[in-house]
Amino acid sequence: MTGRRILLLASTVLGMALTGALGRWQLERAAEKQAVLATEQAAQILPPVDATALVAARSAADVGALAQRKVLLQGQWIGARTVYLDNRPMGQRSGFYVATPLRLAGGGGDVLVLRGWVPRNFDDRLALPQVETPVGQVHVSGRVLTRVPSLFALGQESPGPIRQNIDLPAFARETGLPLSAAVVQQTGGPSEGLERDWPPLVSGADTNYSYAFQWFSLCALMGGLFIWFQVVRPLRSNRRRRSGP
């Protein structure tokens, strides 16, 4: 075997090992996401969490243990701190997620609640939609989220009521509110001008399976090209020479 063929063989083996490893890693990530989804789906049928347990969850691990659990809260809306999260679709319509802090009854602290969705005014993109925010004690049923769903954004968020995302610790510093580390997604039928047809839970594993397929395909392509150009074609050429006149 010539030095050139040895170099090609080594490069092919290295490339196949790398792409194969990347494909296996994507399958492992998909399995992890499927496991998380199964855990969250199981949490949805557990008994509701009370406000005390929600406020007591401080670390990411604590909040993660409560993810997708039902929760029942009582308190007062802090309407002046309502934020409208832009570019959030629901039912193939564009609009806002409306997030308002809830001051828990009994001085238990404050919790940011994703109250629902409202369509936007396309004639005036800066116009705030009409949302009713009741005064006085309210009862809120929902599910625990580990964070506010976010979108890709360039630069820092503006301090106004219309924003792309909310960073919970930064929002707590901005408002001076003792916000819980968890977020609540309010459930139930439409009310107060808001819809709550939240998207179903998905694992996102399909993306990893797609990447895994691409890596394994590239791995097979490198092996196939090496066999074709370095084994099959030389053998066919030798046979032609031997069978020639």
Side-chain angles (χ1 to χ4, degrees), residues 11 17 23 58 64 71 97-99 136 178 206:
S11 300
R58 292 297 181 184
V71 63
Y97 283 173
V98 180
D206 289 346

Side-chain angles (χ1 to χ4, degrees), residues 183-204:
V183 179
V184 171
Q185 183 184 72
Q186 187 173 357
T187 54
S191 64
E192 301 162 1
L194 295 161
E195 299 180 27
R196 300 186 180 94
D197 187 18
W198 301 109
L201 288 175
V202 293
S203 67

Side-chain angles (χ1 to χ4, degrees), residues 85-184:
L85 299 178
D86 203 359
N87 298 315
R88 306 304 170 108
M90 185 169 286
Q92 299 182 344
R93 294 177 295 163
S94 180
F96 300 97
Y97 283 173
V98 180
T100 304
L102 180 72
R103 178 148 295 159
L104 300 176
D110 302 331
V111 177
L112 186 65
V113 179
L114 288 180
R115 297 172 55 196
W117 178 91
V118 66
R120 72 173 312 137
N121 185 334
F122 287 98
D123 294 327
D124 184 358
R125 294 184 64 85
L126 298 180
L128 296 179
Q130 296 297 315
V131 175
E132 179 186 351
T133 302
V135 178
Q137 292 289 318
V138 295
H139 292 82
V140 176
S141 60
R143 296 193 182 278
V144 180
L145 302 182
T146 57
R147 60 182 179 83
V148 180
S150 61
L151 300 176
F152 177 77
L154 296 173
Q156 295 182 341
E157 293 293 337
S158 66
I162 297 179
R163 309 185 186 193
Q164 186 83 345
N165 297 301
I166 292 180
D167 178 81
L168 200 58
F171 187 64
R173 292 191 298 270
E174 174 191 332
T175 59
L177 299 175
L179 290 173
S180 166
V183 179
V184 171

